[in-house]
């Protein structure tokens, strides 16, 4: 049935996700115009404009919905208010809450804003009160009462010296508050519906207000009276004054009088002359009817924001889309989709599958560029789009909808722009499924709730001029089933058509001949409706999925059931072939995607993809990735893990080679800090040890090592501590380990060290091996002192006798030991010295990254060190007793031969050794405890 040499897929990894980030509510843009802040339930998401990615997200601990938020004018502080009546101040770049306090409001906060100095915060509550907060000194400065109902708008006058605050509530008036006296100076009455926004002139003496009563009012703030009322014939949600001293002649602005821009329920941006109350410019949007009901217009605008630095406008639509326009031409720059509702179908699109086209629970199609998440919204259908399919070349696709029509769309290969090139309307009910021809773009097939299947011929040339598009007529219509047709599929050779219906059957049709549809056979066996049908790309078999929770494989020869795949707990909504027809992918109402191997009839992998029905499932043309879309509004792109692993491994090898070469160059140039940081990033203890050894070979190595290690980041120091535990198990590398430990333990506070991951176990692991190394050095020190003593007592034949009397014994050791002697620890015996010597010799051929030979049989590093600490303590205590006995014996023999003066000097030497600094062992024990 398949190529036996083909490698089966075993798993898929998530490559990227397109998730909802804005579900309505306030939107604000940072002053530097790099980020968009918007609410999404209990979170405030921060969207980076350049990349379209969510880079930060803040959320209240109680997961209560955020009712309002405000970003300070200096972009430093973010304050949020939740239904739990809590105000929280955030360091939004770190997603950390700086402080929180209870709002004095008795009901949730509906609006808030900062003043131009970023020191005062005003909050308007649903209780009709306004509070002002000093966010620097952290106390409430004003409590303004007098508004009736919810205070849905608060805004400071841009001139902070005036100390004025404007607010509006359900009484539709605009209240002007004097913050010096905490009194309402006046109420500006003009609107008869909710006031939605305010905009101030540069000199601060003129203000324009907008309302849902379809008017805008120009106010003289000096006289506190209305100068002009401008009827705009639509509910206005946002108003922005047109910048002064800029040329807007191309949009009809011919005078220097005051002009303003409005955004409202009709979704069209308009420019108005305040002096004449005339509209001088109106945006032209295709497929938008002026007679369309404002409430049903998906392009209706809810916010209008001005970006003065880049001369742009940002608008928010009723469908939670955020659009950026460039002034003065009002050309669309970027578009972000905040919320997509249920995803009903999704397909790869474009060259190398660079885009995806998505059908959501709306009449608009969305085309996402996977690299930047930028989106095109395609208008054309007038009701919910139900299904999609893409032609072989990937730049042409078809859609069908509840509006009983089918449409064909084409993507421009250069610009990426998509336009509708053909449409057809002949069904008498909603069209639920569509399939494109596979060989060339010659026809499409559709299945409808009217129980019919239609085949539509496409013109040879689909190019269009202007707004004209080709009108399609069906070449064949067939009453195919007794109930709704849920799915249709065209065979790879364009000669067969399969249909699946709610009547529990699938049927096979012939497309060859004079254009008529001929029935070839019926597939019976499902206990419930058939949701999807799919032809194998290589074999004469058909796959069907059903609401009975099964997927079946059928023979096209005798229409018999070859295999049944059971595993989903609910309806199986989609099925596709992958791995050249040797495997199946299925998605279901249980939110799962399953990978099946046909030959063994087993489920290889279950992907917990979504939280709701997975309606959309499509594999790429290269068979290396797939995309899924769900009723939970999420779209996920998956990569074949085998492909990912191969690519990552190759990239990793190339990166390792480049980094090793770079490391060699840094060491040659004596840039030790960069070299050490690069070595740690490679996560190779041996490479890091090489850099440490290089540092310790230069002049004044101790000071250089200290400066280098202390300049590392916290995570790099944490890795260095972990490597020291490994190095310390080998006598050959212990001095390098101890040199680094001396820097870490003497220059870093204990609180910081204990914050490192696994710090306690690492420090405990250092103790037993450090004790062993110290005992070895102690034994060498004893031996060197004994040899020195013997050398001093030796007499050369014929030497004058006065020589021995005048000479003082030199008790300085022959070599300065690296380790200091712990005065509380007994010195090791000769047996221990021999044991350590063997360990050192054995370590000559050892890998410096590996622990000592006596611990090689243990796998876990932490357990090895703990075990070593326990067992060696018992053995060494025994040996310590023996060592003390030998020491006393030697001391007695020496005291019989030495004179009083030499005995006193030896005693002074011992006392000096007791005053040596605290050892690394004691430091480790202190930190570990």
């Amino acid at each position: 049935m398949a190529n036996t040499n083909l490698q089966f897929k075993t798993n898929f990894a998530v490559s990227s996700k397109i998730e909802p980030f804005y579900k309505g509510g306030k939107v604000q843009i940072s002053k530097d115009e790099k980020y968009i802040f918007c609410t999404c339930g209990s979170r405030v998401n921060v969207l980076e404009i350049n990349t379209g990615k969510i880079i930060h997200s803040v959320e209240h601990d109680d997961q209560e919905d955020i009712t309002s938020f405000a970003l300070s004018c200096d972009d430093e502080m973010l304050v949020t208010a939740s239904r739990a009546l809590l105000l929280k101040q955030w360091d939004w770049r770190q997603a950390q809450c700086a402080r929180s306090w209870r709002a004095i409001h008795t009901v949730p906060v509906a609006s808030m804003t900062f003043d131009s100095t970023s020191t005062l915060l005003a909050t308007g509550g649903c209780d009709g009160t306004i509070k002002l907060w000093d966010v620097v000194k952290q106390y409430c400065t004003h409590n303004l009462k007098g508004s009736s109902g919810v205070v849905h708008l608060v805004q400071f006058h841009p001139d902070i010296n005036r100390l004025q605050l404007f607010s509006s509530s359900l009484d539709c008036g605009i209240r002007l508050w004097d913050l010096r006296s905490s009194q309402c100076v006046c109420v500006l009455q003009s609107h008869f519906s909710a006031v939605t926004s305010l905009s101030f002139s540069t000199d601060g003496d003129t203000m324009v207000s907008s309302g849902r009563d379809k008017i805008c009012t120009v106010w003289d703030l000096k006289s506190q009276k209305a100068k002009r009322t401008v009827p705009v014939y639509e509910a206005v949600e946002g108003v922005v004054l047109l910048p002064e001293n800029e040329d807007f002649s191309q949009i009809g602005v011919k005078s220097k009088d005051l002009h303003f821009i409005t955004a409202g329920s009709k979704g069209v941006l308009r420019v108005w002359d305040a002096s004449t109350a005339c509209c001088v410019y109106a945006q032209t949007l295709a497929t938008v009817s002026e007679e369309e009901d404002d409430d049903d217009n998906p392009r209706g605008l809810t916010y209008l924001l001005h970006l003065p630095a880049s001369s742009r406008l940002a608008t928010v639509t009723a469908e939670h889309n955020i659009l950026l326009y460039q002034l003065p031409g009002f050309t669309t720059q970027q578009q972000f989709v905040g919320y997509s509702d249920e995803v009903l179908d999704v397909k790869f699109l474009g060259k190398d599958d660079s885009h995806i086209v998505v059908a959501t629970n709306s009449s608009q199609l969305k085309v996402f560029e996977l690299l930047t998440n930028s989106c095109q919204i395609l208008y054309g259908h007038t009701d919910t789009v139900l299904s999609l399919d893409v032609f072989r070349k990937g730049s042409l696709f078809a859609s069908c909808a509840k509006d009983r029509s089918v449409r064909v769309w084409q993507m421009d290969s250069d610009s990426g722009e998509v336009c509708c090139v053909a449409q057809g309307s002949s069904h008498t009910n909603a069209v639920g499924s569509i399939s494109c021809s596979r060989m060339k773009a010659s026809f499409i097939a559709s299945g409808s709730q009217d129980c019919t299947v239609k085949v539509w011929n496409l013109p040879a040339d689909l190019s269009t001029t202007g707004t004209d598009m080709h009108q399609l007529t069906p070449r064949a219509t067939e009453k195919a089933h007794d109930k709704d047709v849920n799915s249709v599929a065209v065979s790879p050779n364009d000669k067969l058509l399969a249909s699946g219906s709610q009547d529990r059957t699938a049927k096979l049709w012939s497309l060859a001949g004079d254009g008529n549809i001929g029935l070839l056979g019926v597939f019976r066996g499902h206990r419930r409706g058939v949701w999807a049908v799919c032809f194998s790309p290589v074999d004469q078999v058909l796959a069907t999925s059903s609401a009975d929770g099964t997927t079946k494989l059928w023979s096209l020869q005798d229409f018999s059931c070859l295999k049944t795949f059971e595993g989903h707990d609910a309806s199986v909504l989609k099925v596709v072939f992958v791995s050249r027809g040797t495997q199946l992918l299925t998605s279901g109402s249980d939110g799962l995607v399953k990978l099946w191997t046909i030959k063994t009839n087993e489920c290889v992998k279950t992907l917990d993809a979504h939280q709701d029905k997975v309606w959309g499932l499509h594999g790429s043309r290269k068979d290396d990735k797939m995309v899924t879309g769900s009723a939970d509004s999420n779209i996920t792109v998956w990569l074949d893990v085998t492909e990912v692993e191969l690519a990552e491994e190759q990239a990793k090898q190339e990166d390792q080679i480049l980094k090793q070469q770079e490391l060699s160059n840094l060491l040659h140039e004596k840039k030790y800090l960069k070299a050490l940081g690069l070595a740690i990033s490679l996560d190779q203890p041996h490479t890091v040890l090489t850099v440490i050894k290089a540092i310790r070979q230069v002049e004044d190595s101790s000071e250089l090592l200290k400066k280098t290690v202390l300049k590392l980041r916290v995570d790099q120091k944490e890795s260095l501590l972990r490597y020291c535990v490994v190095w310390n198990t080998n006598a050959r590398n212990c001095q390098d380990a101890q040199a680094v430990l001396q820097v870490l333990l003497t220059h870093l506070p204990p609180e910081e060290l204990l914050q490192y991951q696994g710090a306690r176990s690492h420090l405990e692991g250092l103790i037993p091996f450090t004790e062993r190394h110290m005992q070895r050095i102690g034994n060498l020190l004893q031996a060197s002192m004994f040899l020195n003593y013997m050398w001093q007592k030796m007499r050369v034949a014929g030497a004058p006798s006065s020589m021995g009397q005048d000479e003082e014994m030199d008790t300085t050791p022959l070599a300065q030991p690296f380790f200091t002697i712990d005065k509380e620890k007994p010195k090791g015996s000769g047996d221990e010295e021999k044991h350590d010597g063997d360990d050192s010799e054995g370590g000559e051929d050892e890998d410096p990254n590996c622990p000592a030979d006596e611990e090689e049989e243990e796998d876990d590093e932490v357990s090895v060190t703990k075990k070593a600490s326990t067992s060696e303590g018992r053995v060494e205590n025994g040996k310590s007793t023996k060592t003390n006995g030998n020491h006393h014996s030697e001391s007695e023999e020496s005291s019989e031969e030495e004179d009083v003066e030499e005995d006193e000097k030896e005693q002074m030497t011992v006392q000096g050794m007791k005053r040596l600094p605290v050892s690394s062992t004691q430091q480790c024990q202190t930190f570990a405890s």
Side-chain angles (χ1 to χ4, degrees):
M1 178 178 281
N3 184 358
T4 55
N5 295 325
L6 183 68
Q7 185 178 5
F8 289 150
K9 300 183 188 303
T10 57
N11 195 7
F12 285 88
V14 176
S15 171
S16 62
K17 279 190 174 184
I18 299 176
E19 300 175 291
F21 65 85
Y22 172 61
K23 294 184 179 180
K26 184 176 179 180
V27 174
Q28 187 174 348
I29 296 179
S30 60
K31 189 175 182 180
D32 60 13
E33 301 180 4
K34 293 181 179 179
Y35 308 102
I36 299 175
F37 292 75
C38 50
T39 55
C40 186
S42 62
R43 292 177 289 129
V44 171
N45 290 321
V46 184
L47 179 79
E48 188 174 32
I49 295 178
N50 289 337
T51 63
K53 308 290 184 184
I54 297 296
I55 59 169
H56 301 293
S57 182
V58 300
E59 183 175 14
H60 281 233
D61 297 335
D62 52 16
Q63 295 186 340
E64 289 281 353
D65 282 354
I66 291 176
T67 58
S68 186
F69 73 90
L71 178 70
S72 61
C73 295
D74 57 7
D75 293 343
E76 292 300 321
M77 282 184 292
L78 176 69
V79 176
T80 60
S82 72
R83 292 191 179 277
L85 305 182
L86 272 180
L87 295 175
K88 285 183 177 286
Q89 179 180 320
W90 301 86
D91 178 0
W92 60 269
R93 291 183 174 87
Q94 303 297 327
Q96 293 180 348
C97 179
R99 71 185 187 99
S100 63
W101 67 98
R102 297 287 297 181
I104 310 177
H105 296 280
T106 57
V107 286
V109 174
S111 58
M112 63 170 61
T113 186
F114 273 95
D115 74 335
S116 57
T117 65
S118 301
T119 58
L120 285 179
L121 173 71
T123 59
C126 295
D127 55 3
T129 65
I130 302 170
K131 319 289 184 188
L132 264 67
W133 309 84
D134 188 323
V135 293
V136 177
K137 298 180 181 179
Q138 303 179 4
Y139 70 98
C140 181
T141 62
H142 296 72
N143 184 15
L144 308 179
K145 298 180 180 180
S147 302
S148 59
V150 177
V151 181
H152 59 265
L153 185 147
V154 287
Q155 191 165 338
F156 285 95
H157 192 284
D159 185 1
I160 191 59
N161 294 322
R162 300 195 185 192
L163 283 177
Q164 291 178 340
L165 178 73
F166 294 82
S167 69
S168 181
S169 59
L170 292 182
D171 59 6
C172 307
I174 303 172
R175 281 179 166 76
L176 173 57
W177 302 87
D178 183 1
L179 299 183
R180 291 185 176 88
S181 61
S182 298
Q183 299 296 320
C184 177
V185 176
C186 65
V187 180
L188 306 178
Q189 295 284 1
S190 172
H191 293 276
F192 297 94
S193 186
V195 178
T196 53
S197 68
L198 306 175
S199 185
F200 296 87
S201 63
T202 305
D203 58 13
D205 294 333
T206 304
M207 180 182 75
V208 178
S209 62
S210 65
R212 296 195 180 112
D213 52 2
K214 302 184 180 183
I215 64 169
C216 289
T217 304
V218 183
W219 302 89
D220 184 349
L221 294 182
K222 288 184 177 179
S223 62
Q224 299 173 359
K225 294 182 179 180
K227 295 169 60 177
R228 181 176 291 277
T229 298
V230 180
V232 295
Y233 310 109
E234 65 174 330
V236 183
E237 297 292 336
V239 61
V240 167
L241 286 178
L242 205 62
E244 299 176 5
N245 303 321
E246 291 188 29
D247 183 15
F248 292 98
S249 57
Q250 70 179 86
I251 56 173
V253 178
K254 299 179 180 179
S255 66
K256 293 186 178 181
D257 295 334
L258 188 70
H259 290 73
F260 58 89
I261 307 169
T262 59
S265 57
K266 292 185 178 180
V268 178
L269 294 176
R270 306 176 194 271
V271 180
W272 301 82
D273 187 337
S275 59
T276 62
C278 294
C279 178
V280 298
Y281 173 81
Q283 221 177 359
T284 302
L285 300 177
T287 72
V288 174
S289 173
E290 290 291 334
E291 290 77 22
E292 187 174 8
D293 187 357
D294 291 353
D295 295 334
D296 296 331
N297 185 5
R299 291 194 182 186
L301 303 177
T302 58
Y303 280 93
L304 176 63
L305 306 169
H306 185 217
L307 286 67
S310 58
S311 189
R312 290 185 293 176
L313 292 174
T315 63
V316 182
T317 71
E319 288 203 331
H320 312 115
N321 304 322
I322 302 174
L323 294 88
L324 296 179
Y325 295 100
Q326 184 66 56
L327 293 175
F330 288 89
T331 54
T332 305
Q333 262 199 341
Q334 289 173 282
Q335 189 165 216
F336 306 106
V337 175
Y339 182 66
S340 295
D341 207 347
E342 294 187 22
V343 178
L344 302 182
D345 205 358
V346 58
K347 292 288 189 295
F348 282 109
L349 183 67
K351 185 179 180 181
D352 298 325
D353 298 327
S354 58
H355 295 67
I356 56 172
V357 55
V358 185
T360 62
N361 193 20
S362 74
S363 59
Q364 291 79 47
L365 287 170
K366 297 178 176 67
V367 178
F368 290 91
E369 184 181 8
L370 292 176
L371 189 62
T372 63
N373 276 4
S374 62
C375 178
Q376 296 179 60
I377 297 181
L378 309 181
Y379 295 87
H381 287 288
T382 57
D383 206 341
T384 304
V385 181
L386 298 175
S387 183
L388 302 164
D389 198 20
V390 181
F391 287 90
R392 182 178 179 181
K393 290 186 178 180
S395 60
L396 200 67
F397 67 95
S399 63
C400 61
K402 285 184 178 181
D403 61 6
R404 308 176 185 179
S405 72
V406 296
R407 285 180 177 260
V408 179
W409 309 78
Q410 189 167 37
M411 170 183 279
D412 186 273
S413 57
D414 297 326
S415 65
E417 294 293 325
V418 180
C419 63
C420 184
V421 294
Q423 68 170 342
S425 300
S426 179
H427 283 286
T428 60
N429 209 330
V431 187
S433 179
I434 197 164
S435 182
C436 301
S437 55
R438 300 303 170 202
M439 301 294 288
K440 59 180 181 179
S442 57
F443 67 89
I444 56 175
S446 61
S448 167
Q449 289 182 8
D450 61 12
C451 306
T452 65
V453 171
K454 292 180 182 288
V455 179
W456 312 72
N457 278 336
L458 299 183
D461 184 12
L462 282 171
S463 59
T464 60
T465 58
T467 59
D468 296 334
M469 65 180 69
H470 298 280
Q471 297 298 320
L472 303 179
T473 55
R475 82 179 187 197
T477 301
E478 184 68 31
K479 171 70 166 59
H481 292 273
D482 297 330
K483 293 185 178 181
D484 300 357
V485 179
N486 293 330
S487 177
V488 292
V490 177
S491 65
N493 61 4
D494 285 350
K495 294 182 179 180
L496 300 174
L497 176 69
S499 61
S501 169
Q502 203 66 25
D503 63 8
R504 307 180 185 180
T505 66
K507 294 184 179 181
L508 186 67
W509 308 85
S510 172
L511 295 176
D514 57 358
N516 293 327
I517 303 175
L519 180 63
L520 297 178
V522 181
F523 305 96
R524 291 185 174 90
H526 284 295
R527 300 185 303 276
R528 292 190 179 181
V530 178
W531 276 115
V533 293
C534 184
F535 283 98
S536 169
V538 293
D539 298 315
Q540 294 188 14
V541 295
L542 179 77
T544 62
S545 63
S546 168
D548 61 11
T550 66
T551 301
K552 291 181 180 291
L553 212 60
W554 308 84
S555 170
L556 299 183
Q557 303 291 335
D558 56 8
F559 310 107
S560 62
C561 180
L562 302 176
K563 289 180 180 291
T564 299
F565 303 90
E566 298 180 353
H568 285 279
D569 296 330
S571 300
V572 184
L573 302 175
K574 282 290 176 70
V575 57
V576 295
F577 283 90
V578 292
S579 305
R580 299 180 189 174
T582 62
Q583 291 180 295
L584 289 173
L585 279 170
T586 60
S587 64
S589 297
D590 51 10
L592 302 178
V593 175
K594 290 181 178 288
L595 175 64
W596 307 82
T597 299
I598 294 176
K599 185 176 181 180
T600 59
N601 204 36
E602 66 174 340
C603 178
V604 178
K605 186 67 178 179
T606 298
L607 303 173
D608 191 1
H610 298 276
Q611 304 299 319
D612 208 338
K613 304 178 184 69
V614 183
W615 288 109
L617 177 65
H618 189 226
S620 66
R621 285 168 290 171
K622 293 184 179 180
D623 201 30
D624 59 345
K625 57 185 176 182
M626 70 168 176
V627 61
T628 57
S630 168
D632 63 6
S633 307
N634 291 327
I635 303 165
T636 306
V637 180
W638 307 78
L639 287 181
D640 179 13
V641 170
T642 56
E643 299 286 341
V644 174
E645 289 175 344
L646 290 174
E648 287 182 349
E649 185 63 28
Q650 183 178 0
K652 187 177 180 179
Q653 291 177 357
E654 294 175 355
D655 187 55
Q656 290 282 358
I657 294 173
L658 292 175
K659 285 186 176 180
Q660 291 288 352
Q661 182 61 46
E662 183 182 357
L663 180 63
S664 177
N665 295 337
L666 290 172
L667 288 176
H668 180 73
E669 297 170 4
K670 297 184 179 181
K671 296 180 179 179
Y672 296 112
L673 179 60
K674 290 185 178 180
L676 186 57
L678 179 59
I680 293 174
S681 69
L682 294 173
D683 198 20
Q684 296 178 353
H686 177 68
T687 306
V688 180
L689 182 62
T690 303
V691 179
I692 296 295
K693 288 181 180 292
I695 295 175
R696 297 191 65 234
Q697 289 175 357
V698 303
E699 187 178 354
D700 197 12
S701 60
S702 300
E703 187 64 24
L704 177 61
L705 181 65
K706 183 183 76 172
K707 290 181 179 180
T708 305
V709 170
L710 293 180
K711 286 181 180 179
L712 294 175
R713 300 193 309 267
V714 173
D715 60 313
Q716 293 174 327
K717 294 175 185 175
E718 183 177 332
S719 300
L720 201 56
L721 176 62
R722 187 173 72 251
Y723 299 153
C724 285
V725 177
V726 179
W727 303 336
N728 196 51
T729 60
N730 194 310
R732 190 163 123 193
N733 307 314
C734 64
Q735 292 195 12
D736 300 298
Q738 292 292 329
V740 175
L741 285 172
Q742 185 180 18
V743 176
L744 294 176
L745 298 180
T746 56
H747 293 86
L748 297 182
E751 295 80 10
E752 179 179 340
L753 281 171
L754 291 176
Q755 293 297 321
Y756 294 170
Q757 186 176 3
R760 292 182 182 274
S761 59
H762 292 332
L763 294 170
E764 289 174 357
L766 288 167
I767 294 172
F769 288 98
T770 302
E771 288 177 343
R772 181 176 302 174
H773 300 321
M774 290 178 62
Q775 289 174 357
R776 181 185 301 115
I777 298 300
N779 293 333
L780 291 175
L781 179 61
Q782 288 184 18
S784 65
M785 292 177 66
F786 180 73
L787 289 174
N788 197 17
Y789 169 73
M790 293 297 295
W791 178 78
Q792 293 288 346
K793 287 299 181 180
M794 291 174 64
R795 295 292 184 267
V796 181
S801 59
S802 61
M803 184 182 214
Q805 297 174 357
D806 299 333
E807 232 176 49
E808 292 185 1
M809 177 179 177
D810 183 10
T811 58
T812 305
L814 296 177
Q816 183 67 29
F818 181 81
F819 297 96
T820 59
I821 304 299
D822 188 348
K823 65 180 181 178
E824 297 179 1
K825 298 291 181 181
K827 296 180 173 59
S829 65
D831 295 339
E832 183 65 18
E833 181 181 353
K834 180 179 179 181
H835 173 75
D836 290 341
D838 294 342
D839 178 47
S840 179
E841 291 177 5
E844 290 296 319
D845 298 326
E846 291 176 354
D847 185 350
N849 298 326
C850 298
D853 292 341
E854 58 269 28
E855 306 299 341
E856 285 181 355
E857 66 274 15
E858 297 293 338
D859 294 330
D860 184 63
E861 182 178 320
V862 176
S863 62
V864 165
T865 55
K866 289 183 177 179
K867 181 178 179 181
S869 175
T870 305
S871 60
E872 288 177 12
R874 292 194 297 268
V875 175
E876 289 169 1
N877 286 338
K879 293 184 178 180
S880 297
T881 305
K882 181 179 178 182
T883 303
N884 288 338
N886 294 339
H887 178 70
H888 287 308
S889 177
E890 292 172 0
S891 299
E892 291 172 1
E893 294 174 3
S894 301
S895 62
E896 293 176 358
E897 299 177 0
E898 292 176 354
D899 53 20
V900 177
E901 181 181 355
E902 289 174 340
D903 189 27
E904 292 176 352
K905 291 179 179 178
E906 183 179 2
Q907 185 67 25
M908 291 172 62
T909 303
V910 174
Q911 292 176 354
M913 291 172 61
K914 289 183 177 181
R915 291 192 297 270
L916 287 174
V918 178
S919 65
S920 297
T921 304
Q922 288 178 311
Q923 293 178 0
C924 292
Q925 289 172 334
T926 302
F927 283 106
S929 62

